[in-house]
Amino acid sequence: MDRETRSLAERHFRGGGCGGQAPARVAFIPEPAAFSYADFVRGFLLPNLPCVFSGAFTEGWGGRRRWVTPAGRPDFDHLLQAYGDVVVPVANCGVQEYNSNPKEHMPLRDYITYWKEYIHGGYSSPRGCLYLKDWHLCRDSSVEDVFTLPVYFSSDWLNEFWDALDVDDYRFVYAGPKGSWSPFHADIFRSFSWSVNICGRKKWLLFPPGQEEALRDRHGSLPYDVTSPSLLDAHLYPRRQHCGPPLEVTQEAGEMLFVPSGWHHQVHNLDDTISVNHNWVNGFNLARMWHFLQQELRAVQEEIGEWRDSMPDWDRHCQVIMRSCSGINFEEFYHFLKVIAERRLLVLGEGTAGASSGAELGTEQAAFDVGRIAEVLASVVEHPDFQRVDTSMFSLQPKELLRQLKEAIAVTSVL
């Protein structure tokens, strides 16, 4: 990030940080040489709009050479040799479990055996349509040169945080036959995501933030499948007519799709497809993540509100339930902010962005990050439910961290 881009971004958030109007079609970025990180910030991160990058951005990836046959299909032989014994999560696309699909775990070699049989059976099987989803390849394996993280997505606090803890990540491989699909959803924590087709094509149905409200049924639930004829039932979906058509994208092999924060989507594999997908959060969508977490806690509080007076430690139980449902609670969110903040403060103190900091985009990026963390942390500290969290054992008290951030902002502020 350069100084001009940082200044533009900070003015954007001082002005309220509203997203842009949804376009009639998703923008296509053809040439890497003609598209900078600053272009991505201005055109897509700040207005929170999707775009598709051409296959030229990923043509050097090892996965596109080794995981794909000359005919453009998954190279099952290579995958078996490299990862055959790795246990992977597999979803059954034909079975609805709430608004998702049930999963089982099996060695990759067993899944590939199924996949071959599914193809030879005319894309049909008594076992249903199985889809390998959320395989933590980077976490579970000694990864060959599958992909290179694009600079546009390198400010990735979510994976930086989990890498620091060395317990999890949000980097995934998806692989499945033609006809496999992912139900309607928005990404975890209202994160950004990016997705690259190593081979095959996907059809994406994208809905801008807020449009999903018109898709709720009369009970308030979101649909499992937005292509289902049941959505035409005005009695069941009384507000359906207020939702415009989705942005539809056919993502070709090698292409890279940026999915903005809070955009609900549904995805269908048009061919036998393998993709690499990351969820990520940074200063551009941190406030959306915090807003989402507040909504999640309110939902839990409403669900068990009748026991507020009779349940000991009711507030703590709400946080526990929230974490089990959402993957994070207010205490862990503070630790997330703290880890990233301390790394950015270190960068600013040293005046350089070392590889260990996770801030490969330089000191201007670090200064921008500090400003965004400070704004959200100030809201966290003042939140009544966070004030009920026991912070006595925290290694750094939230108000002290906020003071340090404000001090750094005073030194690095753009005039």
Side-chain angles (χ1 to χ4, degrees), residues 7 16 25 31 34 69 79-80 85 121 148 171 187 197-198 215 231 251 261 294 321 333 345 350 412:
S7 178
R25 60 184 179 84
E31 294 294 335
T69 68
L79 293 169
L80 282 170
D85 293 328
T148 302
R171 307 178 184 97
D187 287 323
N197 287 347
I198 299 297
L215 295 175
L231 268 75
Q251 180 191 15
S261 182
Q294 293 174 80
I321 294 170
F333 182 62
L345 291 171
E350 294 176 346
T412 61

Side-chain angles (χ1 to χ4, degrees), residues 10 36 94 110 117 128 134 205 211 255 314 319 322 352 358 395:
E10 289 176 342
S36 67
D110 291 353
E117 292 172 351
D134 300 325
L205 304 175
Q211 276 207 11
E255 291 183 346
W314 182 84
Q319 294 285 339
M322 175 190 174
T352 58
S395 60

Side-chain angles (χ1 to χ4, degrees), residues 88-93 100-101 103 111 131-136 172-175 181-183 185:
V88 296
V90 175
N92 190 330
C93 296
S100 188
N101 307 119
K103 282 184 179 177
Y111 179 70
Y131 189 10
L132 189 164
K133 299 175 69 173
D134 300 325
W135 174 19
H136 291 264
F172 307 106
V173 170
Y174 282 46
W181 65 294
S182 292
H185 68 285

